[in-house]
Structure formats: C-alpha cells, structure tokens
Amino acid sequence: MSSSSVKLIQECNEILPFEMKYLPDFVQKKLKEELKETPEKKRKSLLELKKMLDANEQLTGGVDFHEDFLTQYLRHSKYDIQRAFYHIRNMLLQRKKDRTLFDGIPDELFITKDSPKFFLLLPKRCPEGCTVIIFQYGKK
C-alpha cells in the first residue's frame, strides 16, 4: 500500500459498515490520485475490455459480465486493459478446470448452531474497507 493511501485512510478515520452500496470519499480520492480514474477513462476501458471478451466467446461462453465485475479487474490492473483481460482469462480457465473452487459457501454454514463457534464475522470493516472474519480453529 502506498504512503499516500495510508495517509488517505488515516484522514478518513471512519468505521465502515459491513454492507456498503457506495464508495467512501477516501476511496474515490485514491482512485483519482493513484489510478487517474475518470468517468470517461472508465467508460472507454470497459468498452474495450468487453469487446475483447466478446471476441473470445469460446473462452467466455457468451457470458455478459457486469460492469462492476470488470471494473474490479481494471482497477486491479491499473487500467492496463491487456493485463485485466489476462487476469479474467486465467480466472475463467481456472473455473473451467475446477468449478468447486468457485462454489459459494452455503447459507446453512452460517445458520447452524455449530458454525458460530469457530468463526466470527465482524459487523464493521477495517479502516481500509476490508471485511474482517476471525477464525478460531481450536474451538469445537
């Protein structure tokens, strides 16, 4: 994490809720400063990435990816479209190879009486915005 990111997080000093439907101000500021993200750059990059994915229908299986999903890959790749495509391609190939890795955790795991004994899902996020889960492996 860059020193400017750490400063932004420290300035924020906000405890974030577990469920979020918005980007906090410090995240938006980070996107502008570190990634030079603008609405126009985001729109153009999404269109180009979608075009690359559509051209590889054998790989994607005709899946129509959500823009939020693709935006995560673009941001991770610092808007390098080739690199974002490479990461998505690797994820799709891994998914075809071993689908069980991508299965969700069944709701029953969170509902049963035994589950809360060995893990705790905190109701707030850490200052960087990450979800926090505490696993207590020794508990039965």
Side-chain angles (χ1 to χ4, degrees), residues 2-14 25-34 127:
S2 71
S3 62
S4 64
S5 296
V6 172
K7 287 178 189 173
L8 285 172
I9 292 166
Q10 289 171 345
E11 288 172 14
C12 171
N13 217 8
E14 176 185 359
D25 292 337
F26 76 91
V27 173
Q28 291 178 9
K29 189 174 179 182
K30 182 178 178 178
L31 292 172
K32 286 179 187 171
E33 290 177 4
E34 290 187 21

Coordinates of all heavy atoms in Angstrom, one line a residue, residues 2-14 25-34 127:
S2 N 0.6 2.2 -0.9 CA 1.5 3.4 -1.0 C 1.3 4.3 0.2 O 0.3 4.2 0.9 CB 1.1 4.1 -2.3 OG -0.1 4.7 -2.2
S3 N 2.3 5.1 0.5 CA 2.2 6.0 1.6 C 1.0 7.0 1.5 O 0.4 7.4 2.5 CB 3.5 6.8 1.8 OG 3.7 7.6 0.7
S4 N 0.7 7.4 0.2 CA -0.5 8.3 0.0 C -1.8 7.6 0.4 O -2.7 8.2 0.9 CB -0.5 8.8 -1.4 OG -0.7 7.8 -2.3
S5 N -1.9 6.3 0.1 CA -3.0 5.5 0.5 C -3.2 5.5 2.0 O -4.3 5.6 2.6 CB -3.0 4.1 0.0 OG -3.0 4.1 -1.4
V6 N -2.1 5.2 2.7 CA -2.1 5.2 4.2 C -2.6 6.5 4.7 O -3.4 6.6 5.6 CB -0.7 4.8 4.7 CG1 -0.7 4.9 6.2 CG2 -0.4 3.4 4.3
K7 N -2.1 7.6 4.1 CA -2.5 9.0 4.6 C -4.0 9.2 4.4 O -4.7 9.7 5.3 CB -1.7 10.1 3.9 CG -0.3 10.2 4.3 CD 0.5 11.2 3.5 CE 2.0 11.2 3.8 NZ 2.7 12.1 2.9
L8 N -4.5 8.8 3.2 CA -5.9 8.9 2.9 C -6.8 8.2 3.9 O -7.8 8.7 4.4 CB -6.3 8.4 1.5 CG -5.9 9.3 0.4 CD1 -6.1 8.6 -0.9 CD2 -6.6 10.6 0.4
I9 N -6.4 6.9 4.3 CA -7.1 6.1 5.2 C -7.1 6.7 6.6 O -8.1 6.8 7.3 CB -6.5 4.7 5.2 CG1 -6.8 4.0 3.9 CG2 -7.1 3.9 6.4 CD1 -6.0 2.7 3.6
Q10 N -5.9 7.2 7.0 CA -5.8 7.9 8.3 C -6.6 9.1 8.4 O -7.2 9.4 9.4 CB -4.3 8.2 8.6 CG -3.5 6.9 8.9 CD -2.0 7.2 9.0 OE1 -1.5 8.3 8.6 NE2 -1.2 6.3 9.5
E11 N -6.7 9.9 7.3 CA -7.5 11.1 7.3 C -9.0 10.8 7.4 O -9.7 11.5 8.1 CB -7.3 11.9 6.0 CG -6.0 12.6 5.8 CD -5.8 13.1 4.4 OE1 -6.8 13.2 3.7 OE2 -4.6 13.5 4.1
C12 N -9.4 9.7 6.8 CA -10.8 9.3 6.9 C -11.3 9.0 8.3 O -12.3 9.5 8.7 CB -11.0 8.1 6.0 SG -12.6 7.3 6.1
N13 N -10.6 8.1 9.0 CA -10.9 7.8 10.4 C -12.4 7.4 10.5 O -13.0 7.7 11.5 CB -10.6 9.0 11.3 CG -10.0 8.5 12.6 OD1 -9.8 7.3 12.8 ND2 -9.9 9.4 13.5
E14 N -12.9 6.7 9.5 CA -14.3 6.3 9.5 C -14.4 4.8 9.6 O -13.7 4.1 9.0 CB -15.0 6.8 8.2 CG -16.4 6.4 7.9 CD -16.9 6.7 6.6 OE1 -16.1 7.3 5.8 OE2 -18.0 6.4 6.2
D25 N -15.4 8.5 0.4 CA -14.7 9.6 -0.2 C -13.2 9.3 -0.3 O -12.6 9.6 -1.3 CB -14.8 10.9 0.6 CG -16.3 11.4 0.6 OD1 -17.0 11.1 -0.4 OD2 -16.7 12.2 1.5
F26 N -12.6 8.6 0.7 CA -11.1 8.4 0.6 C -10.8 7.4 -0.5 O -9.8 7.5 -1.1 CB -10.6 7.9 2.0 CG -10.9 6.5 2.4 CD1 -10.0 5.5 2.0 CD2 -12.0 6.2 3.1 CE1 -10.2 4.2 2.4 CE2 -12.2 4.9 3.5 CZ -11.4 3.9 3.1
V27 N -11.8 6.5 -0.8 CA -11.6 5.6 -1.9 C -11.7 6.3 -3.3 O -10.8 6.1 -4.2 CB -12.6 4.4 -1.9 CG1 -12.5 3.5 -3.1 CG2 -12.3 3.6 -0.6
Q28 N -12.7 7.2 -3.4 CA -12.8 7.9 -4.6 C -11.6 8.8 -4.8 O -11.1 9.0 -6.0 CB -14.1 8.8 -4.6 CG -15.3 7.9 -4.6 CD -16.6 8.7 -4.5 OE1 -16.6 10.0 -4.5 NE2 -17.7 8.1 -4.3
K29 N -11.1 9.4 -3.8 CA -9.9 10.2 -3.9 C -8.7 9.4 -4.3 O -7.9 9.8 -5.2 CB -9.6 10.9 -2.5 CG -8.5 12.0 -2.6 CD -8.5 12.7 -1.2 CE -7.4 13.7 -1.2 NZ -7.2 14.4 0.1
K30 N -8.6 8.2 -3.8 CA -7.5 7.3 -4.1 C -7.6 6.9 -5.6 O -6.6 6.8 -6.3 CB -7.5 6.1 -3.2 CG -6.4 5.1 -3.5 CD -6.5 3.9 -2.5 CE -5.5 2.9 -2.8 NZ -5.5 1.7 -1.9
L31 N -8.8 6.6 -6.1 CA -9.0 6.3 -7.5 C -8.5 7.4 -8.4 O -7.9 7.2 -9.4 CB -10.4 6.0 -7.8 CG -11.0 4.7 -7.1 CD1 -12.5 4.6 -7.3 CD2 -10.3 3.5 -7.7
K32 N -8.8 8.6 -8.1 CA -8.4 9.8 -8.9 C -6.9 10.0 -8.8 O -6.3 10.2 -9.9 CB -9.1 11.1 -8.4 CG -10.6 11.1 -8.8 CD -11.2 12.4 -8.2 CE -12.7 12.3 -8.4 NZ -13.4 13.4 -7.8
E33 N -6.3 9.9 -7.6 CA -4.9 10.2 -7.5 C -4.0 9.1 -8.0 O -3.0 9.3 -8.7 CB -4.5 10.5 -6.0 CG -5.1 11.8 -5.5 CD -4.8 12.0 -4.1 OE1 -4.1 11.2 -3.4 OE2 -5.3 13.0 -3.5
E34 N -4.3 7.8 -7.6 CA -3.4 6.7 -8.0 C -3.7 6.1 -9.3 O -2.8 5.7 -10.0 CB -3.4 5.6 -6.9 CG -2.8 6.1 -5.6 CD -2.7 4.9 -4.6 OE1 -2.8 3.8 -5.0 OE2 -2.6 5.3 -3.4
P127 N -10.3 -0.1 8.7 CA -10.3 1.3 8.1 C -10.0 1.3 6.6 O -10.4 2.2 5.9 CB -9.1 1.9 8.9 CG -9.1 1.2 10.2 CD -9.5 -0.2 9.9

